[in-house]
Amino acid sequence: MDKILIRGGSPLRGEVQVSGAKNAALPLLCATLLAPGTHELRNLPNLRDIDTAVQLLHIMGAHTTAIAPGTARINADEIACAEAPYDLVRTMRASVLVLGPLLARLGYARVSLPGGCAIGARPVDQHLSGLEAMGAKIDLEHGYIEARAERLQGARIYLDIPTVGGTENLLMAATLAQGRTIIENAAREPEIIDLAKALQNMGAQIEGAGSDAITIHGVEKLRPMNHAVMPDRIEAGTFMVAAAISRGDVLVRDAEAEHLEAVISKLRQSGAEVHCVPEGIRVRCEGPLQPLRIKTSPHPGFPTDMQAQFMALLTQAEGTSIISENVFENRFMHVSELQRLGARIRVDGRQATVDGRVELLGAPVMATDLRASASLVLAALAAENTTEISRIYHLDRGYERLEEKLSHLGADIRRVR
Ligand code: UD1
């Protein structure tokens, strides 16, 4: 298994290009199941999760051709198999996003239940009750969700939680339903807007994406999409924190300020200079870092996917910070690994208290999930000596060419086998 070695202490300087967003690309790939014909997706990141999604489409009968780096054509003329097997769903929860499109197009879908994962139980009850409200008959048997519907019917759906995946599944399903669907308490993440734009490009009729009430007028059929994936706001945020923690000066190209308001605001409060320029976002940090209070919440609140990275940053602040994790119930696995580098963090339920003014020292650490791994990389950039990070397949799920991009900014980082 590969490992990453990082020798800390070099301020990052220069420019880095943000890749296409993993969390937008995954639902977009699933959305290709909605319409026959050849879809074209551009700005696709080269990541393990994207390979998994493509593998899933292949199982179902779609054909994918890469026509250039980051551009793929997906032919979805013949979708013969409506099943997402356990082996794939267990490696990537987002596989459950094929449920809505398959059911809408074929009237049947069999998708493995995702089960628990490292960051909590993560049920899919809201996906299922929404589909049931649209007339689907759902059975849970042998660890699989079996859904049937001759044609989905438009419905008024109130989500108990503004779930991102749930909103995406129901949005896709509703595009081909008969009549009008309204999703209330919908997730407002930028990835939902990107998906809605692609679906509109396919001929779907959608209003209100990005607000908490989305209205979809079902159509008889859709055409293939031609769409460029939005930039990855979490990758961008991670490089912004990397600039701050290393006391560097980095222009994150194509980072969209509109998607990153909470992150920008917290970085500014911490004392970093953040400039939103036409090419992206520039972060510069020289002076001392101030402690923060952070509460994660659904968009436009502070993203849970940036919580671990800010925790690494706050070990370097001039005082004690408090982080509350309100989206997932078990998302502090990075704490024990950060402690191995010398961080002083106490966890009490969903709250972590992070002492600042800590001198981090390189040590062997283990990545536990995607964003937890990113926090270890960031802490390593600020640590003395060398940090060795193992199990970096987690990083490869969501960060494209991370070591190459960081090394280009001046980090002393390398991957070893
Ligand atoms: C997506 C993102 C993930 C991010 C998360 C929250 C993708 C591929 N992944 O995950 O990176 O951390 O949003 O911003 O886009 N819940 C229920 N019932 C449901 C659905 C969700 O109780 O039916 C709960 C979950 O357990 C969790 C919370 O709602 O506690 C948020 O989950 P959700 O918004 O669905 O996250 P994902 O779509 O899985």
Side-chain angles (χ1 to χ4, degrees):
M1 265 194 284
D2 292 4
K3 290 181 180 178
I4 280 185
L5 300 183
I6 299 174
R7 200 179 162 80
S10 328
L12 301 189
R13 291 188 197 288
E15 296 183 2
V16 62
Q17 175 66 42
V18 177
S19 299
K22 168 181 88 73
N23 287 355
L26 295 175
L28 288 166
L29 285 164
C30 297
T32 63
L33 293 169
L34 284 164
T38 302
H39 304 257
E40 186 170 311
L41 268 170
R42 285 165 280 120
N43 203 29
L44 276 171
N46 184 5
L47 297 171
R48 209 161 60 96
D49 271 9
I50 301 299
D51 295 342
T52 307
V54 166
Q55 218 179 320
L56 197 56
L57 296 180
H58 283 176
I59 290 179
M60 287 162 189
H63 299 283
T64 311
T65 7
I67 54 170
T71 301
R73 288 207 179 122
I74 300 125
N75 181 283
D77 277 339
E78 280 162 44
I79 303 302
C81 165
E83 176 164 329
Y86 175 66
D87 277 352
L88 284 184
V89 181
R90 114 189 125 81
T91 61
M92 188 182 71
R93 276 184 51 86
S95 311
V96 80
L97 294 174
V98 298
L99 182 61
L102 286 176
L103 186 59
R105 175 156 166 206
L106 304 177
Y108 174 74
R110 188 166 186 269
V111 175
S112 169
L113 272 166
C117 73
I119 59 175
R122 295 178 91 173
V124 287
D125 57 303
Q126 298 299 301
H127 305 228
L128 304 186
S129 55
L131 291 172
E132 275 176 334
M134 296 170 81
K137 186 173 170 317
I138 310 256
D139 292 304
L140 299 182
E141 267 177 14
H142 311 296
Y144 275 77
I145 305 163
E146 269 200 30
R148 286 187 174 79
E150 233 159 63
R151 184 168 179 198
L152 291 169
Q153 303 295 315
R156 201 177 188 105
I157 300 165
Y158 183 87
L159 295 176
D160 291 344
I161 325 170
T163 148
V164 177
T167 304
E168 291 165 345
N169 237 336
L170 298 172
L171 172 59
M172 291 188 278
T175 57
L176 287 176
Q178 186 164 33
R180 184 183 68 171
T181 299
I182 301 176
I183 309 173
E184 287 182 286
N185 197 27
R188 292 185 278 166
E189 269 67 6
E191 291 76 12
I192 306 274
I193 303 180
D194 205 40
L195 173 63
K197 278 188 192 155
L199 292 170
Q200 283 164 336
N201 178 262
M202 294 169 75
Q205 291 183 15
I206 301 166
E207 292 148 29
S211 78
D212 61 1
I214 308 179
T215 304
I216 305 109
H217 295 273
V219 295
E220 293 294 320
K221 55 179 188 214
L222 295 167
R223 53 180 180 265
M225 71 171 87
N226 186 329
H227 183 81
V229 181
M230 63 175 265
D232 195 314
R233 64 192 167 101
I234 305 300
E235 188 202 14
T238 304
F239 283 117
M240 288 159 66
V241 175
I245 202 170
S246 71
R247 306 307 161 93
D249 182 353
V250 174
L251 171 67
V252 186
R253 275 197 178 271
D254 285 348
E256 299 243 12
E258 207 189 320
H259 298 164
L260 283 154
E261 280 173 8
V263 168
I264 292 173
S265 149
K266 287 294 166 191
L267 271 178
R268 284 188 177 140
Q269 270 179 41
S270 79
E273 272 178 52
V274 183
H275 301 282
C276 302
V277 293
E279 305 81 45
I281 301 176
R282 182 175 168 195
V283 177
R284 203 171 135 209
C285 188
E286 275 175 356
L289 286 162
Q290 300 307 313
L292 299 173
R293 285 186 88 90
I294 291 179
K295 291 182 180 171
T296 66
S297 57
H299 194 79
F302 187 91
T304 172
D305 284 351
M306 284 301 299
Q307 180 256 106
Q309 298 89 318
F310 267 74
M311 190 179 285
L313 179 71
L314 293 173
T315 63
Q316 303 302 296
E318 297 288 308
T320 301
S321 301
I322 310 270
I323 299 182
S324 312
E325 173 54 60
N326 299 318
V327 178
F328 290 109
E329 73 268 30
N330 181 22
R331 205 173 193 178
F332 284 137
M333 282 93 51
H334 42 286
V335 169
S336 51
E337 297 303 302
L338 288 172
Q339 283 167 338
R340 291 175 53 76
L341 299 173
R344 283 199 300 269
I345 304 165
R346 292 173 300 287
V347 175
D348 182 10
R350 286 181 168 227
Q351 186 166 301
T353 307
V354 186
D355 288 339
R357 296 195 199 92
V358 164
E359 210 175 304
L360 299 175
L361 293 174
V365 288
M366 206 171 70
T368 49
D369 79 26
L370 173 54
R371 307 304 168 186
S373 332
S375 83
L376 298 177
V377 170
L378 295 172
L381 291 174
E384 259 184 41
N385 302 326
T386 301
T387 299
E388 181 184 298
I389 309 176
S390 55
R391 300 208 179 163
I392 56 159
Y393 51 84
H394 290 292
L395 273 177
D396 295 335
R397 287 188 51 196
Y399 289 93
E400 188 178 43
R401 298 181 286 111
L402 182 70
E403 65 276 15
E404 192 186 313
K405 290 186 183 186
L406 283 173
S407 151
H408 182 72
L409 292 172
D412 185 344
I413 178 170
R414 69 198 158 90
R415 181 186 284 248
V416 291
R417 295 233 166 232

